[in-house]
Amino acid sequence: MIGSSLAILAAAALLCATSFIWTFALPTSDHSDPITRHYNFHIRLKNVSRLCHTKTIITVNGKFPGPRLIARQGDRVLVKVVNHVPNNITIHWHGVRQVGSGWSDGAAYITQCPIGRGQTYLYNLTLVGQTGTLFWHAHISWLRATLYGPLIILPPHNQSYPFPTPFEQLPIIFGEWWNSDPEAVIAEALRTGAGPNVSDAYTINGLPGPLSNCSKTRQTFRLKVKPGKSYLLRLINAAVNEDLFFSIANHTMKVVEADANYVKPFKSKTIVIGAGQTMNVILKTKSHCPNATFFMLASPYFTGVGTFDNSTLAAILEYHNPSSFPSPKMFKSVLPPTHATLFVSDFNRRLRSLNSESYPVKVPQTVDKSFFFAISLGSKPCPRNQTCRGPNRRSKFAAAINNISFVLPSEAILQKHYFEQQRSKSNGVYSTDFPAFPPQPFNYTGNPPNNTRVENGTKVVVIPYNTSVELVLQDTSTLGSESHPLHLHGFHFFLVGQGFGNFNPKTDPDKYNFVDPAKRNTVSVPSGGWVAIRFMADNPGVWLMHCHLDVHLDWGMSMAWIVQDGNLPHQKLPPPPSDLPDC
């Protein structure tokens, strides 16, 4: 799909593309110890033009994408959020462990009630034991389509990177753009039960690039580099509903970090980055200044049923002061096909933790509690006297984990838990009977049963403090196999095993990697396969786990973990802040 359009638009892109270089200065301080950094987020409406179309979007401080948060490991970060728009708002600090700061996780109706118009809330988080690239985004409905930005955590002053210091570093944020209102898109889909309309274009740092359908667009991200230099590209997939491939023509990238955890470096011409994942790569530029420009391309990885945005995103890499005559050559890369599951699997298997003296790996060797979650896309019956446009035109799309389609409550679970920790039965907001295993086991990757009996509910798992957990996440073929990027709030976990087909509890654990497994906060459950993760439940609070494809989240593919307090003072959830919004 990029062949003829690429050739036709290439020359025009070079002549009229907007130069958009987005680097950042490292924070300077006279203090070697951790400090407190203050940020103000004003949620405002702003008119923005993309694809020859002007619309009003919700922004932070009038910026799209939003402002960069930069701090060092160990710093305390205070972000004052002031809501000036009619929409309810929460901000999630994606990948931040939130140790002792669960009230600042920002998941609507899980850890807080939303911030209403005219209200203010102070997010208070300390960046404990984390270095690398994360990001922040709205965590209510589809507002994160425009409310997102980088969260950069630098090493402490007395530490350096476990690789040569790059000449320059910059964030590369992938997103999606709708000419229509994304809130209206998901509202209509939930009303009719149909799949939502797809985005009109992918974006890189907020720009759709020269391959868009609008011939008048001047919005192309251009990365200007110098010969013989190393650039640290901080990749962030903030797309609402898609996993992505990414490559730079005639260049190879070296992967050095994933989800703010260093990995054993490896080279690849194409990067795979799931929705909600982050990845640091080093780009080593050519030793001379070529008279050429190179396309940076991204396209979706999709294996499910239904429609998706099958467009290709382009940006331009060019060297400083290229010769004007003759006209520079244009180079493009070839991305994997949309459904390249084996390529994705091979790439993800190459991600391994450093496990060095400075960055040891401490995988739980024993397991206190085991869980098996079947991840399903399916349908539910159309309500009586209503016309639905889901599967077979007689039902609504639904999603579930272990046959439970999660329903957001009208009160925040964390508040209810904090004030009623001693109650073990239903308290009217949630129940503690989320199944540890599928209530009706079946051949998960074979022919699905006619009725999986999906139940709607706000159900959670309660586990004691410092429990070692093993969780197997199994994709199912209920409505077609599909890759699902599962994100766990409040924790990083070890990816100890993965494979295709049905998980075999007798033989597959023998193949687990306990030496250098990747440490992630978002894991891609393979299409038609499974992953096994382990983590220590050492962070008291309420933590959402969900698919980071927002349409699947809204259809119910989520659940919550409640980690109880420990015995010592530092093992207990602190009281809620005084400015916590009310529902």
mmCIF file of all heavy atoms in Angstrom, residues 506-544:
data_model
loop_
_atom_site.group_PDB
_atom_site.id
_atom_site.type_symbol
_atom_site.label_atom_id
_atom_site.label_comp_id
_atom_site.label_asym_id
_atom_site.label_seq_id
_atom_site.Cartn_x
_atom_site.Cartn_y
_atom_site.Cartn_z
ATOM 1 N N LYS A 506 2.212 -29.283 32.701
ATOM 2 C CA LYS A 506 3.152 -30.348 33.055
ATOM 3 C C LYS A 506 4.515 -30.177 32.382
ATOM 4 O O LYS A 506 5.551 -30.477 32.974
ATOM 5 C CB LYS A 506 2.557 -31.709 32.690
ATOM 6 C CG LYS A 506 1.318 -32.079 33.496
ATOM 7 C CD LYS A 506 0.809 -33.470 33.110
ATOM 8 C CE LYS A 506 -0.408 -33.855 33.941
ATOM 9 N NZ LYS A 506 -0.930 -35.213 33.565
ATOM 10 N N THR A 507 4.516 -29.690 31.144
ATOM 11 C CA THR A 507 5.778 -29.634 30.402
ATOM 12 C C THR A 507 6.309 -28.219 30.176
ATOM 13 O O THR A 507 7.521 -28.017 30.132
ATOM 14 C CB THR A 507 5.606 -30.324 29.028
ATOM 15 O OG1 THR A 507 4.577 -29.647 28.282
ATOM 16 C CG2 THR A 507 5.224 -31.783 29.210
ATOM 17 N N ASP A 508 5.441 -27.238 30.024
ATOM 18 C CA ASP A 508 5.915 -25.885 29.696
ATOM 19 C C ASP A 508 6.735 -25.227 30.800
ATOM 20 O O ASP A 508 7.701 -24.508 30.501
ATOM 21 C CB ASP A 508 4.736 -24.997 29.299
ATOM 22 C CG ASP A 508 4.229 -25.296 27.894
ATOM 23 O OD1 ASP A 508 5.064 -25.689 27.035
ATOM 24 O OD2 ASP A 508 3.025 -25.157 27.633
ATOM 25 N N PRO A 509 6.410 -25.423 32.088
ATOM 26 C CA PRO A 509 7.248 -24.801 33.120
ATOM 27 C C PRO A 509 8.707 -25.265 33.103
ATOM 28 O O PRO A 509 9.587 -24.536 33.584
ATOM 29 C CB PRO A 509 6.552 -25.211 34.427
ATOM 30 C CG PRO A 509 5.118 -25.388 34.044
ATOM 31 C CD PRO A 509 5.168 -25.985 32.666
ATOM 32 N N ASP A 510 8.972 -26.443 32.543
ATOM 33 C CA ASP A 510 10.363 -26.914 32.458
ATOM 34 C C ASP A 510 11.200 -26.033 31.525
ATOM 35 O O ASP A 510 12.431 -26.057 31.582
ATOM 36 C CB ASP A 510 10.400 -28.360 31.951
ATOM 37 C CG ASP A 510 9.778 -29.333 32.945
ATOM 38 O OD1 ASP A 510 9.732 -29.003 34.148
ATOM 39 O OD2 ASP A 510 9.331 -30.414 32.512
ATOM 40 N N LYS A 511 10.530 -25.258 30.660
ATOM 41 C CA LYS A 511 11.231 -24.408 29.701
ATOM 42 C C LYS A 511 11.343 -22.954 30.185
ATOM 43 O O LYS A 511 11.819 -22.094 29.440
ATOM 44 C CB LYS A 511 10.498 -24.436 28.357
ATOM 45 C CG LYS A 511 10.236 -25.843 27.824
ATOM 46 C CD LYS A 511 9.268 -25.802 26.635
ATOM 47 C CE LYS A 511 8.799 -27.187 26.243
ATOM 48 N NZ LYS A 511 7.758 -27.158 25.177
ATOM 49 N N TYR A 512 10.903 -22.665 31.396
ATOM 50 C CA TYR A 512 10.935 -21.293 31.892
ATOM 51 C C TYR A 512 12.362 -20.754 31.950
ATOM 52 O O TYR A 512 13.325 -21.493 32.197
ATOM 53 C CB TYR A 512 10.337 -21.216 33.293
ATOM 54 C CG TYR A 512 8.833 -21.253 33.368
ATOM 55 C CD1 TYR A 512 8.182 -21.244 34.596
ATOM 56 C CD2 TYR A 512 8.030 -21.278 32.225
ATOM 57 C CE1 TYR A 512 6.798 -21.270 34.704
ATOM 58 C CE2 TYR A 512 6.653 -21.309 32.315
ATOM 59 C CZ TYR A 512 6.042 -21.307 33.560
ATOM 60 O OH TYR A 512 4.678 -21.339 33.652
ATOM 61 N N ASN A 513 12.479 -19.469 31.767
ATOM 62 C CA ASN A 513 13.766 -18.772 31.881
ATOM 63 C C ASN A 513 13.812 -18.038 33.218
ATOM 64 O O ASN A 513 13.115 -17.035 33.419
ATOM 65 C CB ASN A 513 13.919 -17.773 30.722
ATOM 66 C CG ASN A 513 15.161 -16.917 30.853
ATOM 67 O OD1 ASN A 513 16.075 -17.229 31.615
ATOM 68 N ND2 ASN A 513 15.206 -15.818 30.108
ATOM 69 N N PHE A 514 14.630 -18.542 34.131
ATOM 70 C CA PHE A 514 14.819 -17.889 35.421
ATOM 71 C C PHE A 514 16.151 -17.150 35.505
ATOM 72 O O PHE A 514 16.494 -16.607 36.552
ATOM 73 C CB PHE A 514 14.743 -18.915 36.556
ATOM 74 C CG PHE A 514 13.394 -19.570 36.697
ATOM 75 C CD1 PHE A 514 13.254 -20.940 36.559
ATOM 76 C CD2 PHE A 514 12.264 -18.810 36.958
ATOM 77 C CE1 PHE A 514 12.010 -21.545 36.687
ATOM 78 C CE2 PHE A 514 11.026 -19.401 37.085
ATOM 79 C CZ PHE A 514 10.890 -20.774 36.953
ATOM 80 N N VAL A 515 16.906 -17.141 34.411
ATOM 81 C CA VAL A 515 18.239 -16.534 34.419
ATOM 82 C C VAL A 515 18.186 -15.057 34.037
ATOM 83 O O VAL A 515 18.667 -14.188 34.770
ATOM 84 C CB VAL A 515 19.186 -17.298 33.469
ATOM 85 C CG1 VAL A 515 20.559 -16.629 33.422
ATOM 86 C CG2 VAL A 515 19.314 -18.750 33.917
ATOM 87 N N ASP A 516 17.592 -14.751 32.882
ATOM 88 C CA ASP A 516 17.581 -13.363 32.401
ATOM 89 C C ASP A 516 16.268 -13.016 31.697
ATOM 90 O O ASP A 516 16.275 -12.470 30.591
ATOM 91 C CB ASP A 516 18.765 -13.108 31.468
ATOM 92 C CG ASP A 516 18.794 -14.058 30.275
ATOM 93 O OD1 ASP A 516 17.941 -14.969 30.210
ATOM 94 O OD2 ASP A 516 19.664 -13.878 29.397
ATOM 95 N N PRO A 517 15.109 -13.335 32.309
ATOM 96 C CA PRO A 517 13.848 -13.009 31.643
ATOM 97 C C PRO A 517 13.649 -11.500 31.540
ATOM 98 O O PRO A 517 14.140 -10.733 32.379
ATOM 99 C CB PRO A 517 12.794 -13.643 32.551
ATOM 100 C CG PRO A 517 13.427 -13.640 33.903
ATOM 101 C CD PRO A 517 14.889 -13.903 33.654
ATOM 102 N N ALA A 518 12.939 -11.085 30.503
ATOM 103 C CA ALA A 518 12.620 -9.665 30.346
ATOM 104 C C ALA A 518 11.728 -9.209 31.495
ATOM 105 O O ALA A 518 10.878 -9.950 31.984
ATOM 106 C CB ALA A 518 11.927 -9.432 29.007
ATOM 107 N N LYS A 519 11.951 -7.970 31.919
ATOM 108 C CA LYS A 519 11.164 -7.358 32.982
ATOM 109 C C LYS A 519 10.293 -6.289 32.343
ATOM 110 O O LYS A 519 10.796 -5.337 31.756
ATOM 111 C CB LYS A 519 12.096 -6.753 34.033
ATOM 112 C CG LYS A 519 11.452 -6.415 35.360
ATOM 113 C CD LYS A 519 12.522 -5.933 36.329
ATOM 114 C CE LYS A 519 11.956 -5.663 37.709
ATOM 115 N NZ LYS A 519 13.008 -5.135 38.623
ATOM 116 N N ARG A 520 8.974 -6.443 32.407
ATOM 117 C CA ARG A 520 8.060 -5.577 31.673
ATOM 118 C C ARG A 520 6.950 -5.057 32.589
ATOM 119 O O ARG A 520 6.742 -5.564 33.692
ATOM 120 C CB ARG A 520 7.403 -6.334 30.501
ATOM 121 C CG ARG A 520 8.317 -7.059 29.541
ATOM 122 C CD ARG A 520 9.309 -6.171 28.840
ATOM 123 N NE ARG A 520 8.719 -5.094 28.068
ATOM 124 C CZ ARG A 520 8.526 -5.122 26.745
ATOM 125 N NH1 ARG A 520 8.846 -6.211 26.055
ATOM 126 N NH2 ARG A 520 8.020 -4.085 26.106
ATOM 127 N N ASN A 521 6.214 -4.060 32.092
ATOM 128 C CA ASN A 521 4.942 -3.696 32.709
ATOM 129 C C ASN A 521 3.783 -3.975 31.761
ATOM 130 O O ASN A 521 2.631 -3.970 32.170
ATOM 131 C CB ASN A 521 4.929 -2.239 33.164
ATOM 132 C CG ASN A 521 5.061 -1.247 32.014
ATOM 133 O OD1 ASN A 521 4.222 -1.196 31.119
ATOM 134 N ND2 ASN A 521 6.122 -0.453 32.030
ATOM 135 N N THR A 522 4.107 -4.217 30.468
ATOM 136 C CA THR A 522 3.100 -4.553 29.460
ATOM 137 C C THR A 522 3.636 -5.700 28.616
ATOM 138 O O THR A 522 4.722 -5.585 28.043
ATOM 139 C CB THR A 522 2.790 -3.340 28.561
ATOM 140 O OG1 THR A 522 2.392 -2.233 29.378
ATOM 141 C CG2 THR A 522 1.693 -3.659 27.573
ATOM 142 N N VAL A 523 2.912 -6.798 28.561
ATOM 143 C CA VAL A 523 3.372 -7.972 27.838
ATOM 144 C C VAL A 523 2.380 -8.309 26.734
ATOM 145 O O VAL A 523 1.167 -8.210 26.922
ATOM 146 C CB VAL A 523 3.544 -9.180 28.782
ATOM 147 C CG1 VAL A 523 2.220 -9.576 29.427
ATOM 148 C CG2 VAL A 523 4.160 -10.372 28.055
ATOM 149 N N SER A 524 2.885 -8.670 25.568
ATOM 150 C CA SER A 524 2.032 -9.070 24.459
ATOM 151 C C SER A 524 1.741 -10.562 24.558
ATOM 152 O O SER A 524 2.643 -11.393 24.395
ATOM 153 C CB SER A 524 2.711 -8.755 23.119
ATOM 154 O OG SER A 524 2.774 -7.359 22.903
ATOM 155 N N VAL A 525 0.495 -10.884 24.838
ATOM 156 C CA VAL A 525 0.067 -12.282 24.827
ATOM 157 C C VAL A 525 -0.024 -12.704 23.361
ATOM 158 O O VAL A 525 -0.760 -12.094 22.582
ATOM 159 C CB VAL A 525 -1.289 -12.454 25.519
ATOM 160 C CG1 VAL A 525 -1.719 -13.921 25.509
ATOM 161 C CG2 VAL A 525 -1.236 -11.921 26.943
ATOM 162 N N PRO A 526 0.736 -13.725 22.935
ATOM 163 C CA PRO A 526 0.780 -14.045 21.499
ATOM 164 C C PRO A 526 -0.573 -14.471 20.954
ATOM 165 O O PRO A 526 -1.374 -15.094 21.660
ATOM 166 C CB PRO A 526 1.790 -15.205 21.428
ATOM 167 C CG PRO A 526 2.497 -15.214 22.736
ATOM 168 C CD PRO A 526 1.570 -14.610 23.732
ATOM 169 N N SER A 527 -0.817 -14.142 19.709
ATOM 170 C CA SER A 527 -2.013 -14.607 19.035
ATOM 171 C C SER A 527 -1.974 -16.131 18.966
ATOM 172 O O SER A 527 -1.056 -16.719 18.397
ATOM 173 C CB SER A 527 -2.076 -14.017 17.622
ATOM 174 O OG SER A 527 -3.185 -14.513 16.913
ATOM 175 N N GLY A 528 -2.958 -16.784 19.568
ATOM 176 C CA GLY A 528 -2.990 -18.238 19.594
ATOM 177 C C GLY A 528 -1.945 -18.840 20.516
ATOM 178 O O GLY A 528 -1.523 -19.982 20.311
ATOM 179 N N GLY A 529 -1.544 -18.112 21.539
ATOM 180 C CA GLY A 529 -0.508 -18.620 22.431
ATOM 181 C C GLY A 529 -0.675 -18.132 23.857
ATOM 182 O O GLY A 529 -1.768 -17.705 24.270
ATOM 183 N N TRP A 530 0.417 -18.180 24.622
ATOM 184 C CA TRP A 530 0.364 -17.883 26.048
ATOM 185 C C TRP A 530 1.677 -17.257 26.515
ATOM 186 O O TRP A 530 2.710 -17.369 25.833
ATOM 187 C CB TRP A 530 0.115 -19.163 26.863
ATOM 188 C CG TRP A 530 1.154 -20.235 26.627
ATOM 189 C CD1 TRP A 530 1.129 -21.195 25.647
ATOM 190 C CD2 TRP A 530 2.400 -20.404 27.319
ATOM 191 N NE1 TRP A 530 2.270 -21.963 25.694
ATOM 192 C CE2 TRP A 530 3.072 -21.501 26.719
ATOM 193 C CE3 TRP A 530 3.006 -19.758 28.386
ATOM 194 C CZ2 TRP A 530 4.316 -21.953 27.158
ATOM 195 C CZ3 TRP A 530 4.251 -20.201 28.830
ATOM 196 C CH2 TRP A 530 4.885 -21.293 28.214
ATOM 197 N N VAL A 531 1.620 -16.591 27.655
ATOM 198 C CA VAL A 531 2.818 -16.134 28.351
ATOM 199 C C VAL A 531 2.664 -16.474 29.824
ATOM 200 O O VAL A 531 1.543 -16.574 30.343
ATOM 201 C CB VAL A 531 3.060 -14.615 28.189
ATOM 202 C CG1 VAL A 531 3.315 -14.242 26.738
ATOM 203 C CG2 VAL A 531 1.909 -13.805 28.766
ATOM 204 N N ALA A 532 3.800 -16.644 30.498
ATOM 205 C CA ALA A 532 3.824 -16.859 31.948
ATOM 206 C C ALA A 532 4.669 -15.770 32.584
ATOM 207 O O ALA A 532 5.787 -15.497 32.134
ATOM 208 C CB ALA A 532 4.391 -18.234 32.283
ATOM 209 N N ILE A 533 4.117 -15.103 33.596
ATOM 210 C CA ILE A 533 4.841 -14.040 34.286
ATOM 211 C C ILE A 533 4.894 -14.338 35.780
ATOM 212 O O ILE A 533 4.055 -15.087 36.306
ATOM 213 C CB ILE A 533 4.183 -12.660 34.050
ATOM 214 C CG1 ILE A 533 2.796 -12.593 34.696
ATOM 215 C CG2 ILE A 533 4.100 -12.354 32.551
ATOM 216 C CD1 ILE A 533 2.160 -11.207 34.635
ATOM 217 N N ARG A 534 5.897 -13.770 36.431
ATOM 218 C CA ARG A 534 6.016 -13.875 37.887
ATOM 219 C C ARG A 534 6.316 -12.501 38.476
ATOM 220 O O ARG A 534 7.047 -11.709 37.887
ATOM 221 C CB ARG A 534 7.111 -14.861 38.281
ATOM 222 C CG ARG A 534 6.742 -16.321 38.068
ATOM 223 C CD ARG A 534 7.741 -17.268 38.704
ATOM 224 N NE ARG A 534 7.374 -18.662 38.497
ATOM 225 C CZ ARG A 534 7.997 -19.694 39.050
ATOM 226 N NH1 ARG A 534 9.054 -19.495 39.850
ATOM 227 N NH2 ARG A 534 7.587 -20.929 38.814
ATOM 228 N N PHE A 535 5.744 -12.246 39.649
ATOM 229 C CA PHE A 535 6.038 -11.007 40.368
ATOM 230 C C PHE A 535 5.768 -11.196 41.850
ATOM 231 O O PHE A 535 5.047 -12.124 42.254
ATOM 232 C CB PHE A 535 5.209 -9.840 39.815
ATOM 233 C CG PHE A 535 3.714 -9.970 39.984
ATOM 234 C CD1 PHE A 535 3.066 -9.393 41.062
ATOM 235 C CD2 PHE A 535 2.949 -10.654 39.045
ATOM 236 C CE1 PHE A 535 1.684 -9.504 41.218
ATOM 237 C CE2 PHE A 535 1.566 -10.763 39.179
ATOM 238 C CZ PHE A 535 0.941 -10.189 40.270
ATOM 239 N N MET A 536 6.360 -10.316 42.646
ATOM 240 C CA MET A 536 6.113 -10.286 44.086
ATOM 241 C C MET A 536 5.063 -9.225 44.373
ATOM 242 O O MET A 536 5.203 -8.072 43.964
ATOM 243 C CB MET A 536 7.395 -9.966 44.850
ATOM 244 C CG MET A 536 8.464 -11.036 44.773
ATOM 245 S SD MET A 536 7.975 -12.609 45.552
ATOM 246 C CE MET A 536 7.737 -12.083 47.256
ATOM 247 N N ALA A 537 4.030 -9.603 45.083
ATOM 248 C CA ALA A 537 2.962 -8.670 45.439
ATOM 249 C C ALA A 537 3.395 -7.867 46.662
ATOM 250 O O ALA A 537 2.871 -8.027 47.767
ATOM 251 C CB ALA A 537 1.666 -9.423 45.698
ATOM 252 N N ASP A 538 4.364 -6.985 46.445
ATOM 253 C CA ASP A 538 4.972 -6.227 47.539
ATOM 254 C C ASP A 538 4.572 -4.754 47.512
ATOM 255 O O ASP A 538 5.275 -3.907 48.067
ATOM 256 C CB ASP A 538 6.499 -6.346 47.478
ATOM 257 C CG ASP A 538 7.071 -5.907 46.137
ATOM 258 O OD1 ASP A 538 6.285 -5.516 45.259
ATOM 259 O OD2 ASP A 538 8.308 -5.961 45.973
ATOM 260 N N ASN A 539 3.444 -4.434 46.865
ATOM 261 C CA ASN A 539 3.006 -3.049 46.732
ATOM 262 C C ASN A 539 1.536 -2.966 47.129
ATOM 263 O O ASN A 539 0.652 -3.199 46.301
ATOM 264 C CB ASN A 539 3.210 -2.576 45.279
ATOM 265 C CG ASN A 539 3.102 -1.078 45.140
ATOM 266 O OD1 ASN A 539 2.960 -0.351 46.119
ATOM 267 N ND2 ASN A 539 3.154 -0.594 43.915
ATOM 268 N N PRO A 540 1.245 -2.649 48.386
ATOM 269 C CA PRO A 540 -0.156 -2.654 48.835
ATOM 270 C C PRO A 540 -0.993 -1.616 48.112
ATOM 271 O O PRO A 540 -0.543 -0.498 47.838
ATOM 272 C CB PRO A 540 -0.047 -2.341 50.333
ATOM 273 C CG PRO A 540 1.286 -1.710 50.514
ATOM 274 C CD PRO A 540 2.180 -2.296 49.466
ATOM 275 N N GLY A 541 -2.202 -2.008 47.763
ATOM 276 C CA GLY A 541 -3.107 -1.104 47.058
ATOM 277 C C GLY A 541 -4.033 -1.879 46.138
ATOM 278 O O GLY A 541 -4.178 -3.105 46.258
ATOM 279 N N VAL A 542 -4.640 -1.178 45.197
ATOM 280 C CA VAL A 542 -5.519 -1.773 44.188
ATOM 281 C C VAL A 542 -4.923 -1.482 42.828
ATOM 282 O O VAL A 542 -4.658 -0.327 42.490
ATOM 283 C CB VAL A 542 -6.952 -1.206 44.279
ATOM 284 C CG1 VAL A 542 -7.834 -1.826 43.201
ATOM 285 C CG2 VAL A 542 -7.541 -1.455 45.663
ATOM 286 N N TRP A 543 -4.708 -2.538 42.017
ATOM 287 C CA TRP A 543 -3.954 -2.400 40.775
ATOM 288 C C TRP A 543 -4.722 -3.024 39.622
ATOM 289 O O TRP A 543 -5.022 -4.219 39.633
ATOM 290 C CB TRP A 543 -2.572 -3.044 40.932
ATOM 291 C CG TRP A 543 -1.867 -2.534 42.150
ATOM 292 C CD1 TRP A 543 -1.626 -3.205 43.314
ATOM 293 C CD2 TRP A 543 -1.343 -1.217 42.324
ATOM 294 N NE1 TRP A 543 -0.978 -2.392 44.203
ATOM 295 C CE2 TRP A 543 -0.785 -1.163 43.631
ATOM 296 C CE3 TRP A 543 -1.285 -0.076 41.520
ATOM 297 C CZ2 TRP A 543 -0.191 -0.010 44.134
ATOM 298 C CZ3 TRP A 543 -0.682 1.079 42.023
ATOM 299 C CH2 TRP A 543 -0.142 1.094 43.308
ATOM 300 N N LEU A 544 -5.011 -2.208 38.645
ATOM 301 C CA LEU A 544 -5.741 -2.662 37.460
ATOM 302 C C LEU A 544 -4.816 -3.448 36.539
ATOM 303 O O LEU A 544 -3.647 -3.106 36.375
ATOM 304 C CB LEU A 544 -6.302 -1.448 36.715
ATOM 305 C CG LEU A 544 -7.238 -1.713 35.534
ATOM 306 C CD1 LEU A 544 -8.531 -2.363 35.996
ATOM 307 C CD2 LEU A 544 -7.525 -0.407 34.785
#
